[in-house]
Amino acid sequence: MNARTSPTLQHEVVSKPREVERLITGTATSDGAGVKLTRVLTQGLQRRLDPFLMLDAFGTDNPEDYIGGFPDHPHRGFETVTYMIAGRMRHRDSAGNEGLLQNGGVQWMTAGRGLVHSELPEQEDGRMEGFQLWLNLPASDKMCAPWYRDLQSADIPEFRTAEGVTARVIAGASHGIAGGMQRETTLPLYLDLHFEPGSGFTQALPAAHNGFVYVYRGALRIGDTSVPAQRMAILKNQPDSDGVILHADEPTRALLIAGNPLNEPIAQYGPFVMNSNEQIHQAVEDFRAGKFA
Ligand code: FE2
């Protein structure tokens, strides 16, 4: 299944849609070698949006904002999901893997017990736009072997609803269409939705899953709440709710992300996310001892 076929879509049935709990404005920051970005999901929201640990949005036409990229740095204990809307980024890691992430593609990387990698722009001008999401691993998987997968744009299942929404299914499933990635335990749903003016999109969500919507162009209505561009709407966890309904009055693009909370302790020190301070000390020690190489 890919964007070039016309799948038979199943209806998503939602009778009690979730409301918006609150809107979040991202924090302008820089990371790596001076890459300017907006941190939308910050450390203070990790418990609330468990199993998600971070969401960064980057989008600029100015090479000075991205040209330094992210030189060699380690990760341990979680997964990074990088979605490139525009631009080209080359990644290399200490296991000898290398790939080019570009124009609608996704890199899904499971850091597990640890790796060192770089993420460097492979362009000197032009637009660079995309997102990096951090997804936690269950305690039992934090020391698994590192793993990654590059999904080119054509590998990401895509469909268009009769109401005029094009959905790219990066992970999970929507309208009966399975996404490019499936993960056990955290069961992430990751959709990139493109709305025509006057269109709506319905998505069933388990009531216990934490979910949010990030509008990156245009604006959405969710129940009585207007969500402008560059805002994240945290969806309320109403115990009797069964999904979410999104409406757009103008051309709009948004990410809809949800997952099953782990409800485990979160200990973070920079690029290491474990369950206890002892495990964080161990991660730092292992990294210094060259055990990530
Ligand atoms: Fe990284």
Side-chain angles (χ1 to χ4, degrees):
M1 182 76 60
N2 61 40
R4 284 88 208 154
T5 61
S6 295
T8 307
L9 300 180
Q10 291 170 15
H11 279 287
E12 296 275 336
V13 179
V14 172
S15 56
K16 180 82 168 64
R18 293 193 195 198
E19 293 160 18
V20 172
E21 180 176 295
R22 57 185 158 134
L23 297 182
I24 303 288
T25 304
T27 307
T29 183
S30 75
D31 209 340
V35 178
K36 287 201 179 132
L37 49 83
T38 302
R39 190 142 292 162
V40 178
L41 197 174
T42 55
Q43 211 165 346
L45 291 169
Q46 288 176 339
R47 290 247 54 104
R48 175 63 190 87
L49 293 174
D50 181 9
F52 303 103
L53 299 165
M54 194 187 85
L55 177 67
D56 281 347
F58 47 95
T60 176
D61 298 307
N62 179 3
E64 286 176 16
D65 293 344
Y66 61 72
I67 204 71
F70 302 87
D72 275 350
H73 59 279
H75 292 289
R76 174 180 276 185
F78 60 101
E79 305 189 85
T80 66
V81 183
T82 310
Y83 179 31
M84 192 67 93
I85 306 277
R88 294 183 303 154
M89 194 90 96
R90 173 144 330 248
H91 66 86
R92 287 191 181 88
D93 70 35
S94 50
N97 301 305
E98 181 175 337
L100 185 64
L101 183 59
Q102 60 186 333
N103 304 335
V106 168
Q107 188 211 35
W108 197 291
M109 185 189 78
T110 305
R113 63 178 170 253
L115 52 67
V116 176
H117 77 162
S118 61
E119 300 154 290
L120 297 171
E122 198 159 277
Q123 64 187 47
E124 288 172 2
D125 49 35
R127 184 157 183 81
M128 178 77 78
E129 182 178 12
F131 304 95
Q132 188 169 82
L133 177 73
W134 287 12
L135 170 62
N136 210 352
L137 283 167
S140 55
D141 291 341
K142 280 186 177 289
M143 294 297 278
C144 71
W147 179 90
Y148 88 98
R149 187 174 162 200
D150 278 329
L151 294 152
Q152 302 303 325
S153 188
D155 300 331
I156 297 172
E158 188 175 308
F159 65 86
R160 188 178 160 80
T161 67
E163 300 95 271
V165 175
T166 300
R168 312 195 74 219
V169 191
I170 295 167
S174 179
H175 293 69
I177 306 299
M181 282 290 299
Q182 308 296 329
R183 300 302 280 145
E184 292 177 0
T185 314
T186 51
L187 306 173
L189 173 74
Y190 189 162
L191 304 179
D192 178 20
L193 303 171
H194 302 182
F195 296 79
E196 282 185 2
S199 64
F201 189 83
T202 299
Q203 178 64 48
L205 291 176
H209 286 200
N210 291 325
F212 60 93
V213 175
Y214 181 69
V215 177
Y216 65 97
R217 300 228 213 310
L220 283 180
R221 280 184 290 116
I222 307 176
D224 296 331
T225 306
S226 294
V227 188
Q230 276 82 57
R231 296 291 185 286
M232 170 170 73
I234 297 181
L235 302 175
K236 244 183 219 175
N237 288 70
Q238 294 144 286
D240 55 345
S241 72
D242 55 1
V244 65
I245 301 177
L246 313 171
H247 288 285
D249 298 317
E250 55 185 289
T252 295
R253 293 189 177 204
L255 307 179
L256 169 58
I257 295 173
N260 186 34
L262 293 167
N263 296 312
E264 293 173 341
I266 300 169
Q268 178 176 5
Y269 177 69
F272 310 126
V273 185
M274 303 299 289
N275 302 111
S276 69
N277 289 336
E278 292 69 28
Q279 292 169 334
I280 290 293
H281 290 308
Q282 189 64 53
V284 173
E285 205 169 292
D286 288 351
F287 173 58
R288 286 185 182 147
K291 291 185 182 169
F292 283 28

